[in-house]
Amino acid sequence: MATTTVVLTSILTTTLTAPAATATANTTKVASQGGIFEGLNPVIYQATNPLMLFIIQASIVIALTRLLHWPLKKINEPPVIAEVIAGILLGPSVFGRIPGFSAAIFPPLGMAPFRLAANIGLMLYLFLVGLEIDMRYLLSNWRVAASVAVLDMTIPFGLGVAVAWGLYRDFADEPGIAPISFGVFALFVGVATAITAFPVLCRILTSLKLLNTTVGVIVLTSGIANDVVGWVLLALCVTLVNAGAGITALYILLVAVAYSLFLAYAVRPAFLWVLRRTRSLENGPSQGIVALTIFLVLASAFFTDIIGVHAIFGAFMIGLICPHEGGFAIKVTEKIEDLVATLFLPLFFALSGINTNIGLLNTGKIWGYVFAIIFVSFFSKLAGGTIGARANGLVWRESFTIGTLMSCKGLVELIVLNIGLQARILSTRTFTMFVVMALVTTFATTPLVSWLYPPSYQRKLELWKQGKIDWDGNPIMSSEGSDDEPQSDVATRLLVYLRADGLSSVLSVISHFTGRRQPEKREPDSGPVTGAPERVQPLRVHGYRIVELTDRNSSVMAVSEIEEYAAHDPIVKALGTCANNAGRDVIVSGQIAVVPENGYADALATEATKAKSDLIIVPWSETGTVSELSGSILSTRSKVDVLAGNQAFANLALQVFEKARHVSAVGVFVDESVLRIAATSSNEPDDKSSQPPTRLARQLTKDACGVSISDVYNPPTIRLYSAEKKAGHLIRVLYTGTQDDLYAVRLALQLASQSEDVEVLVVETANSHSSSGSSDEHVLFDEFVKIKTAANAKHSGRVTFMDEKHFIDSVPDVSSQTTILEIMLTTAATSSSLKGAGSGPSITVMVGRSVIGTGRPSTIPGSEEGESSSGYAVDLKQALGRAAAAVATEIKHGKIGASLLVLQDKAKGKGKAPVVGTGKAELEAE
């Protein structure tokens, strides 16, 4: 009995005390919540909380990558160079030699989350690579792609197999390599030698403005074919490594082929059906469509991974089946590319660098293999691409350029090498050899192409193909005559820089060129008209919209799909309305270019050369910057003077004037609304007018009720110029005796002959017709007299020429302190003979950009050397000229609104003109 009592007591005691003991144990296992205040070391890896160490690792990688990319970007090197170099620095080659660095920042246990994030980024990036490849482009140019890509893959592949024989013999027994046959190893090395980095290739072609040239088309199509075939062979190589037996490899291959067909003929049609039902092709992908797309990427990557092929191939195939109609692929890329490019992808390539150990390249024999790999990888691709391009009829220098571009390895090569390292095809030593090769070939591509195919040679080759010069650069005079027929108008081929903020200004200018031409007056008894009627040459208006090229892949994709992108651009479409109700034949065309901001002027000058334009029209920015978009659409008014304070756009205008000096005439148009914005946003006191500043045109202001004030109080505030609502157009030309001023007179007379609603007044400043001066000035004066005589006979009553003295004497009650510019502006409305029921005449002042030489500077305030024009920066004077800056000052402070057109004539005579985009001399072409 006693024994039974003791047993029951023991059981009861154990049962009652067990929960308390468990509670005590659980209490001791709860993680500390005090963080560093309780002694937590964030560098020490914790399996239960790996986030802290990962944040430290990612921050170091991103910061070092961006720091290295900053100087490399100046020489047009891709970001992958900085990312791999950052990884090499953080690895055992450099920082790893610091005692305790690798153990603290990149411990073996702490690399698992880092590697997971890197592989997620790799999977998403391969999806973006698939999105970049437009199979329609490959199919439309398959003959060229096949001829170049076949030679560009077979020759490097064969020589790569030869190098693989030596590598397999000397390094196959190194630790970490799987027991594979020479055939599998040779297949991998051949692929690593023959593959081309298509994404980096697109970036290089775009930055060098070669994407739309013959070289760019051949390289792009061949690169697509090379990439697709290379990924297929790499998938086959991974399949052979992962398969334990030959029959297993066959199963994997058959399932992979069947899955590819399933995606192409089942998943893609269903996906397109969903996109059409949700109108995602027209309106862009919604959040739900983006989620569906990411789900397809993850599911496809999962399937290819479990069947024995790497997960990246599944993501790549989903990118290939995504449609490009309506810019869908570009819009999807825009949704996810920033996170991938700034966080995930640097981690992957940093991981490649961390796995690279330059210290293992420690013997002369190993370095001999390194140089052999670099030599074979570069020159085999160079030979294959050159021979293939030459077979398509290109000259040798073009062919060498294509071969050099096709030798670019870039990040695709590093992805291939990492797959080989993970599959244990490569050891750390052989992996390091190929990483060095990838860095060297990628780094050398851009400078070599810039040396082989500079803009000067491109221009020479273009003229040679057109038959205008021989191969030595000597002009060839055609017996059939020049394409440029004699014409009375000085501007019949307009190149218009299209901007969203300056669209109304552009339409206003073009409307003067398309007005109704005044018919010749005939006497009633003059009898029937004999002979052929006067031929009026059609007006050609070519709109050129420039979109900034950024570091994003979507920006590069927009370049490669520029034709479809331009067809849906609303600004280009709006330009077509200038042909409506035109009084003459008008041919309107439009184009979009995606170039870096520092290449805008080069792009305009190059396009003017191609289009044979005789006048480039550049509207002044209304945003205060080169960008078309202001900080906020609901901003009350700019606090920066959009004219004087816009030094970025002034620099752009100066570059356009300089680059196009030997190409075409240039006109910078400063709209009336821009000058009003400059007047109201300037901090300068306006002593000439006691009235409060008028509300800005084309500027919305937000009221407390949420209704735009412009819609309630001043409906005409946001407007497009309409000729029917104006009583006419007054043109005032300030002639100081320079070549640019003479061109302004000619252009004003052309506009007067184009429409009966145009009245022109040309004011000759003092000494503009002085008898003293150089022979060039006498020639200009004689030409001006001829133009003046002919204009007075043809446009009597609507065109007036007056010298400065007679013009001032014709105005009563003029103060001695009043300048000629003030008189020109204040008398514009009252002196007009144009009648109409509109809102009053529009006024445009035309000024030549040339520095005032023969005119008397004292008559034009602010035009003296070294004097600032009422606070305007010297940069503005350098860009538009001192006279234009002075005119802008008077318009800014005046009571009558007027626009300003600053003109520069095309340089006359023969000579070696500077090549567009370079400082070298161009051959004498015309």
Side-chain angles (χ1 to χ4, degrees), residues 14 44 50 70 174 187 214 224 261 268 452 464 590 621 624 674 680 786 874 898 916:
T14 305
I44 297 178
W70 180 73
E174 288 199 342
L187 176 63
T214 302
I224 293 174
L261 297 175
R268 189 175 191 274
L452 279 172
W464 177 74
S621 170
V674 176
T680 54
K786 294 178 181 179
V874 178
V916 174

Side-chain angles (χ1 to χ4, degrees), residues 209 544 546 595-606 652 655 916-917:
K209 292 180 284 188
Y544 197 63
I546 302 179
V595 296
E597 185 176 305
N598 57 7
Y600 282 14
D602 288 340
L604 285 170
T606 303
L652 173 60
Q655 290 180 11
V916 174

Side-chain angles (χ1 to χ4, degrees), residues 11 87 182 347 498 580:
I11 294 174
F182 171 72
L347 298 183
L498 292 179
N580 299 338

